Structures are given as C-alpha cells and as structure tokens.
Amino acid sequence: MKIGLTGGIGSGKSTVANFLREAGAAVIDTDAIARQLSGPGGAAMPAIATEFGPAMLTTEGALNRVAMRDLAFSDPSAKQRLEAVLHPLIGAQTLAESAAAEQTGARLIIFDVPLLVESGRWRHRVARVLVVDCTEQTQLDRVAARPGWTLAAAAAVLAAQASRAQRRASADALIYNEGLSLGALKAQVLHLADRWHPAK
C-alpha cells in the first residue's frame, strides 16, 4: 500500500516518518531527495547556478538555502523558478525509489511529502493520506528553536504553506501531535502501520 505522509513545518512529520521506517515501511523522503539534488555535486546544481548565479551557491557548490529562502520571500517568482528546476528531478527520483522498494518486496511505501496538499498531484498516486497536525503556535515554537531559524522566518514559511484546515480536509488518517510523548506518538504510528499492513 502506498501512503502519502504530510504535515506543516514543525508538526513532527519527520519523527512520524522515522517511526514508520522502524515499523518496516519503505520511506521515500522528497525533502531528502531535494537536498541531495541541490547539495555539492547534486544533479540540479548546474541548472540552479545558471538560473540564479553564483551568489546563490555556497563555497562547497551547494544551494545556499538561507539565501534562497530570503530571496523567495522577497521575490515569489524565485520559488517558482527553483521548483521548475527541482520538481522534475524529484519526481523522477521518487518514481525510481518507489519502483526499487516494490522490487524488494516492500508492502508499505510511505511518500514523505511536505507540500503534498499544495501540489495537488499526489491524491491519485497514493491509497491513503496521513496528516500530522498540531497548533500553529506549537509549529512556530518548534521551528524557531531550530538552529538558524527566527520566529519571523518560521511564521513566513507557515504562511506560505497550506492551512491546517486544508491539510486536515485531505486526510484519511490524522495524528494530532500536540502534547504527546514520543512513546504515545509512536504507539499511534504503529497502530496505523498495523492497520494498513497487518503483520499476519
């Protein structure tokens, strides 16, 4: 079974993905694919350098994410231009990893897609959508506590993503990750994994 996993920034989606991986699911992380493509020597870097110039590259030849984030908030077209470079490559790599997971016999494949709701392309590709949710204040607090982030930057990202209501409306299953211990969160994740792929 193919599951789409999504949640707003700071919702705990990555933690849920890790628990699903521990439960034996094949997890395809589109954010990780994007980071690989835009890292030093990444397949997207020549096109990114051509599109944005050397100022948007680190000394190692990777995408300067802080500079790109700042540019995208001041120039909305920058985000669209970056996505035009990355999305076809991410799509191709996602398909390749999905096919490889099927060939190895994986019966539960998780597509970890932060912008699943925003893209509008995923609903027909997966059997279920799992949304990780929490209050916006909790999202802000979690993200602002990350290295290199400010409360203003966290709020700007939050404003650019789908609303909680939009994500919740897309959900076949929802985990409300508010005030949960890691143990309680893991128990919910394992319960869902067992429903979707019983051990027997």
Side-chain angles (χ1 to χ4, degrees):
M1 181 180 284
K2 295 180 179 179
I3 307 296
L5 170 65
T6 195
I9 189 169
S11 64
K13 175 183 61 60
S14 296
T15 302
V16 169
N18 287 335
F19 288 148
L20 285 164
R21 189 179 285 110
E22 289 178 21
V27 178
I28 299 171
D29 184 341
T30 58
D31 251 6
I33 292 171
R35 287 193 295 271
Q36 181 184 43
L37 291 169
S38 57
M45 288 315 301
I48 289 174
T50 298
E51 182 66 34
F52 295 100
M56 209 52 64
L57 276 61
T58 66
T59 54
E60 294 82 19
L63 173 65
N64 186 327
R65 300 183 189 285
V66 174
M68 178 57 72
R69 192 166 65 226
D70 292 343
L71 176 63
F73 289 133
S74 62
D75 176 9
S77 73
K79 180 174 179 285
Q80 295 170 350
R81 287 153 53 206
L82 179 64
E83 289 174 349
V85 172
L86 285 174
H87 282 186
L89 297 171
I90 294 170
Q93 183 64 27
T94 298
L95 287 174
E97 291 190 18
S98 176
E102 290 186 48
Q103 287 178 354
T104 58
R107 286 181 285 177
L108 189 59
I109 301 176
I110 308 296
F111 296 92
D112 181 347
V113 186
L115 301 181
L116 184 147
V117 174
E118 292 87 336
S119 76
R121 295 189 297 269
W122 278 94
R123 177 68 265 189
H124 70 282
R125 300 180 184 179
V126 295
R128 301 282 190 279
V129 171
L130 170 59
V131 171
V132 185
D133 183 47
C134 64
T135 66
E136 291 187 358
Q137 187 59 54
T138 295
Q139 289 180 266
L140 290 171
D141 292 344
R142 288 172 178 168
V143 177
R146 296 176 182 175
W149 282 83
T150 64
L151 193 60
V157 171
L158 205 65
Q161 294 186 335
S163 69
R164 287 182 64 203
Q166 288 172 316
R167 275 192 297 272
R168 291 170 73 101
S170 75
D172 296 299
L174 185 138
I175 291 176
Y176 185 54
N177 185 24
E178 188 73 37
L180 292 179
S181 67
L182 280 177
L185 178 61
K186 184 173 185 177
Q188 287 196 33
V189 173
L190 295 182
H191 174 70
L192 282 172
D194 188 57
R195 273 179 49 197
W196 288 330
H197 177 221
K200 295 182 181 178

